[in-house]
Amino acid sequence: MDSYLIQVSGCGDHAPMLDVHLKTNGNSISLGKVKGRKPRWAVRASEMSKKTYNPVRAIVDSMKVEPNPKKAMISLSLGDPTVFGNLPTNDEVTLAVKEVLDSGRYNGYAPSVGYQSCREAVAAYYNCPEAPLKAQDVILTSGCSQAIELALAVLANPGQNILVPRPGFSLYKTLALSMGIEVKLYNLLPEKGWEIDLEHLESLVDEKTACLIVNNPSNPCGSVFSKSHLQKILAVASRQCVPILADEIYGDMVFADCKYEPIATLSTNVPILSCGGLAKRWLVPGWRMGWILIHDRRDIFGNEIRDGLLRLSQRILGPCTIVQGALERILQRTPPEFYHNTLSMLKSNADLCYAALSAIPGLQPVRPAGAMYLMVEIEMEHFPEFENDVEFTERLISEQSVFCLPATCFEYPNFFRVVITVPEEMILEACSRIQEFCEMHYQGAEGAQEECDK
């Protein structure tokens, strides 16, 4: 029978040593002395968690302000079209999910990149001669946010950099910094309907640039790039050999007097990962169904990027299988009038909001062409009692109970963003209150100068 002998030796300030002997089949083997360890708790948050920073949450959570109790709160801050119930999804969309749920055929695990039949449905929906797609070009994800995360993770390594629009959706920076990827911000030009400052964009490219993020239609700007402008963006990417991550979650959500062009349909050689999903156009953000469309007609990505996306998708088991099962019916049977009615309502709200805010001294709204947002410049020199857009929007809450996001959240100070998905009467009431607020605090050139001289 084997036996074990453990002796503890040590004295004074010296750590105890374990002298371990193993006796087997009558032979004694010394394993030597092993320094003892006193167990202690030392649980720390990971470096990745410490690098994860959401500027919207950081700014909004620090706004310690109470709304005016005499006025009902009007929130124009959250980009969720379902909040007020005035923009329900279509019955066909709901019925598609009910049918799948009743079938009981989609209750198990799906492949990490999504069911083949569902990938085929997405490919068929977006396929066109200018940008052909097959099922193998589609990766299904848990919302567009995960699509962006996977696309960033496959294209960029820690220490590399990505080019991100300013103003732009804060998630790009949140994800990149958590991965150890540097963010370089390129400017959008409000005086040109938020077109990209192409000269500034190209000046940022260096040997460590991993990709260019193009968000069109835009959050937070509500802008839609023209065909010619997209071609100029592609020319920069082509010259610099930089792939594009296209955030097109608001694709086709453009107003009647504008045309949306998926950037991949205009590219002859630049490889593109286009990220989209059901959230906005079908008004179901909580269903968490997104996708990556791989456009690579010159085989620049090759198997390298496709295999990388497959491996990354295997970290979790993909998006909800119930919604996957409903995808084909959602894409094929949602009636065109549903999209038309949604856009008609958004366009009406955008026009009302733009007209009302344009008439207010000290504010300069930028007319949107799509998506669900409108950006407004604050002429801070006429509001000298406020240091910045955060203070301006804080006081707007405390005095008028209207909550707009300060554009500092999008790296663009002295603007604020308005969400235009709320009911019409709420838009009108909010604009009326904003007017009252501005008239209360506005100072003309002389008054502003006097304030500055104090």
Side-chain angles (χ1 to χ4, degrees), residues 173-451:
K173 184 175 182 178
T174 298
L175 292 173
L177 295 184
S178 72
M179 299 177 192
I181 300 164
E182 182 189 356
V183 171
K184 290 188 172 184
L185 300 170
Y186 64 82
N187 292 329
L188 305 182
L189 303 171
E191 68 274 14
K192 292 188 176 181
W194 300 110
E195 285 189 347
I196 295 173
D197 182 338
L198 296 168
E199 186 176 339
H200 181 236
L201 167 67
E202 193 157 10
S203 73
L204 297 175
V205 179
D206 62 22
E207 68 281 356
K208 291 186 178 181
T209 300
C211 75
L212 160 63
I213 294 182
V214 177
N215 176 209
N216 179 56
S218 167
N219 175 12
C221 301
S223 56
V224 181
F225 292 150
S226 67
K227 180 178 180 178
S228 62
H229 189 62
L230 288 168
Q231 288 170 329
K232 291 174 184 176
I233 297 167
L234 286 165
V236 173
S238 179
R239 277 196 302 273
Q240 300 296 337
C241 297
V242 175
I244 288 177
L245 191 171
D247 179 358
E248 298 181 320
I249 186 62
Y250 295 96
D252 289 311
M253 288 189 75
V254 300
F255 303 151
D257 53 354
C258 192
K259 188 176 189 318
Y260 164 68
E261 304 272 1
I263 193 168
T265 63
L266 306 174
S267 174
T268 57
N269 65 325
V270 177
I272 295 166
L273 297 181
S274 174
C275 300
L278 290 182
K280 307 301 184 178
R281 193 174 188 220
W282 286 269
L283 306 175
V284 286
W287 290 13
R288 311 312 303 140
M289 174 56 64
W291 45 73
I292 300 173
L293 308 180
I294 305 168
H295 297 279
D296 185 28
R297 292 195 290 286
R298 293 287 183 90
D299 202 32
I300 295 168
F301 284 153
N303 291 331
E304 180 91 359
I305 295 301
R306 292 173 186 273
D307 291 348
L309 284 170
L310 172 62
R311 287 191 294 270
L312 287 170
S313 73
Q314 291 169 345
R315 295 171 67 193
I316 64 170
L317 285 173
C320 174
T321 55
I322 299 296
V323 184
Q324 284 192 58
L327 254 184
E328 184 173 5
R329 178 169 173 174
I330 290 172
L331 296 175
Q332 290 184 357
R333 298 195 193 179
T334 303
E337 57 266 26
F338 165 71
Y339 308 124
H340 173 78
N341 292 340
T342 301
L343 290 172
S344 178
M345 180 269 184
L346 291 175
K347 174 73 160 62
S348 175
N349 274 4
D351 289 344
L352 286 171
C353 190
Y354 177 80
L357 297 180
S358 294
I360 300 174
L363 298 185
Q364 292 290 340
V366 182
R367 185 186 290 277
M372 309 186 312
Y373 311 103
L374 178 148
M375 286 278 276
V376 185
E377 182 181 6
I378 310 164
E379 295 176 339
M380 296 304 301
E381 67 273 18
H382 293 299
F383 301 97
E385 64 187 287
F386 307 127
E387 188 172 328
N388 51 41
D389 57 308
V390 177
E391 282 192 13
F392 182 97
T393 51
E394 281 181 336
R395 288 283 291 278
L396 184 57
I397 296 170
S398 65
E399 294 181 20
Q400 296 292 340
S401 296
V402 175
F403 183 16
C404 301
L405 269 189
T408 293
C409 294
F410 310 109
E411 309 280 354
Y412 212 79
N414 301 334
F415 277 71
F416 63 87
R417 187 191 74 172
V418 176
V419 174
I420 57 173
T421 57
V422 303
E424 179 180 307
E425 62 274 14
M426 202 171 283
I427 281 278
L428 293 172
E429 173 63 18
C431 288
S432 175
R433 294 189 198 175
I434 293 171
Q435 179 174 358
E436 183 180 332
F437 175 81
C438 288
E439 288 175 350
M440 177 74 69
H441 297 284
Y442 179 87
Q443 293 189 20
E446 292 182 6
Q449 185 59 50
E450 289 174 6
E451 188 71 23

Side-chain angles (χ1 to χ4, degrees), residues 154-176:
V154 81
L155 292 175
N157 284 309
Q160 289 187 290
N161 64 71
I162 61 171
L163 308 180
V164 172
R166 174 174 55 200
F169 184 36
S170 60
L171 182 70
Y172 311 138
K173 184 175 182 178
T174 298
L175 292 173

